[in-house]
Amino acid sequence: MTSTRQPVAEGLFTWPPTPSEPPRLIGSECTACGLVSFPAAADCVRCGGQDPKERLLADRGTLWTYTTQNFRPPSPPYDGPEAFEPYAVGYIELPGELLVEARLTEADPHRLRIGQPMRLTLVPYTVRDDGTEAVTFAFTPAEERAS
Amino acid sequence: MTEAVIIGVGLHPFGRFPGKPALDMGADAVRLALADAGVNWPQIQGGYIGSYEVANPDAIVGRLGLTGVPLRGVFNGCATAGTAIALAARAIETGEHDLTIAIGLDKHPRGAFAADPSVAGIPSWYGQTGLFLTTHFFGMKINRYMHDHGISHETLARVAAKNFGNAAANEKAWRRTPLTPEEILASPVLNYPLRQYMYCGPDEGAAAIVLCRADQAHKYTQKPVRVRSTALRSRRLGAFEVQSPSFPVGEIVESPTVDASRAAYERAGIGPQDVDVAQLQDTDAGSEIIHMAENGLCKDGEQERLIAEGATGIGGRLPVNTDGGLLGNGEPIGASGLRQIHEIVLQLRGTAGTRQIPGTPRVGYTHLYGAPGVSAVTILST
């Protein structure tokens, strides 16, 4: 059976992912000054430029900092499941691009560390009334790569 | 330029007051401040009033007297009261008015602040997926800071214990039950490494401050408190701030607190070494630790030793949040910064009762920080 999955928002990440084309975050790059933004921004916050081009961001980075979410956030705006499972969030440094905030797949703070290699993944974070799974981006601990 | 001085302060208790509108709390605070200054409402020539929950806080004139006074509503997130006091002082400094008032009032529902991310210019998915929580920022900022500067979990707990202890000596504070560091460390984690008793909560309250021209202060008080400087700064590109889905790599710059603090010291001609007592934005225990350094009061990492030694306690060499801070008082956003000013004025007058710091304090410092990355600093002196 194939469940219906939909991204939480259009234009956040490439969709649908395939084995040959894993997901990537969709950012933007200012054509005037080169500043990279996520989510894609029409206006550059460095130079005020208004002519961005799309840029797929790196799918690997390192954990810059993190915290956990141990209580269910107020709804609205949160529309996750009523049965709350703690999750973690963090900023991942994508070298040469930016630091991006994301949910982390590992919720135990003692299994996370600053500097840890992370890679992008997609996670279903809630099920809509019509049975559709809403999918968002997250980062997951990655194996250390030999340098 | 004429200098502005504070001649009256008024504080409505912070906490929960079922059935009492925010405007009534504000009116009580104004009457206390007017009585403290020895002036009447019709004498007030202009004012600034801040609130998050009350759309028209200037409606307070309906309770105080319809004198036609220009009363301007202001809002800058958690730095709202810093804006109100700055503009009330500026109106005197520029000669527009001789007698002004700054008022703050708020009445928040229980629980964490909840809003649509669009109020901060952020897309809906950020809130839907559980990222739009200011508490995340505070957890992540102190987690990184502890990693970089060797701050321990025990130090977080000591800060909270100090502020709850100070609040216990403050009859107008909300959280008046002292807690030990052990009890604080045993409370549930909300956002690692921050625990339940390391966070302040939104609540209710009001405060008001009456100011006049320095050369007329003798008509009202023997102990005017000088407004030496005020400064407000917003975030610069690269600073790590509340509600940022991303920020540039390699451009990490100092926080708006550092910027506001430097500007305020420079304008006052006063340095961090001159500060006798400080009220810092302690949204959480980690924030107080970070803000000690961001306001120039110590070097990064020194907090670990200073707090263990009790330096920031009421008897220490740099008392911080002597009235219990936000941890002890909660945060009615519009009023919070004027609560800080109220406490500094009591300390500089020497009338803070059992929480009076020793000696003859001459310089007091207040600091606010909040979304979306805005800081306000006020430096006061005798």
Side-chain angles (χ1 to χ4, degrees), chain A residues 38 46 67 69 91 101 103, chain B residues 126 129 136 192 244 246 251:
Chain A
F38 178 82
R46 180 198 273 153
T67 190
Q69 180 59 35
Y91 279 88
E101 186 179 1
R103 286 173 73 130
Chain B
Y126 190 70
T129 59
H136 285 170
Y192 181 87
S244 306
S246 70
E251 298 200 32

Side-chain angles (χ1 to χ4, degrees), chain B residues 185-255:
Chain B
L185 283 171
S187 67
V189 172
L190 297 186
N191 303 99
Y192 181 87
L194 297 173
R195 296 170 181 273
Q196 179 182 352
Y197 294 138
M198 295 176 182
Y199 274 113
C200 84
D203 65 345
E204 309 174 13
I209 309 289
V210 177
L211 305 95
C212 82
R213 293 169 57 102
D215 58 4
Q216 296 179 5
H218 63 276
K219 292 196 287 187
Y220 308 107
T221 179
Q222 298 304 306
K223 289 191 171 179
V225 170
R226 301 168 65 190
V227 180
R228 301 296 296 271
S229 67
T230 62
L232 182 134
R233 291 290 185 276
S234 65
R235 66 201 190 283
R236 286 190 282 138
L237 181 66
F240 176 45
E241 304 296 343
V242 185
Q243 297 160 349
S244 306
S246 70
F247 64 101
V249 67
E251 298 200 32
I252 295 173
V253 301
E254 284 159 328
S255 79

Side-chain angles (χ1 to χ4, degrees), chain B residues 21-34:
Chain B
L23 285 174
D24 287 350
M25 291 187 248
D28 285 358
V30 169
R31 291 185 190 109
L32 287 169
L34 293 171

Side-chain angles (χ1 to χ4, degrees), chain B residues 153-169:
Chain B
H153 293 258
E154 288 71 22
T155 295
L156 293 176
R158 286 191 185 104
V159 168
K162 168 184 69 73
N163 289 358
F164 290 126
N166 291 351

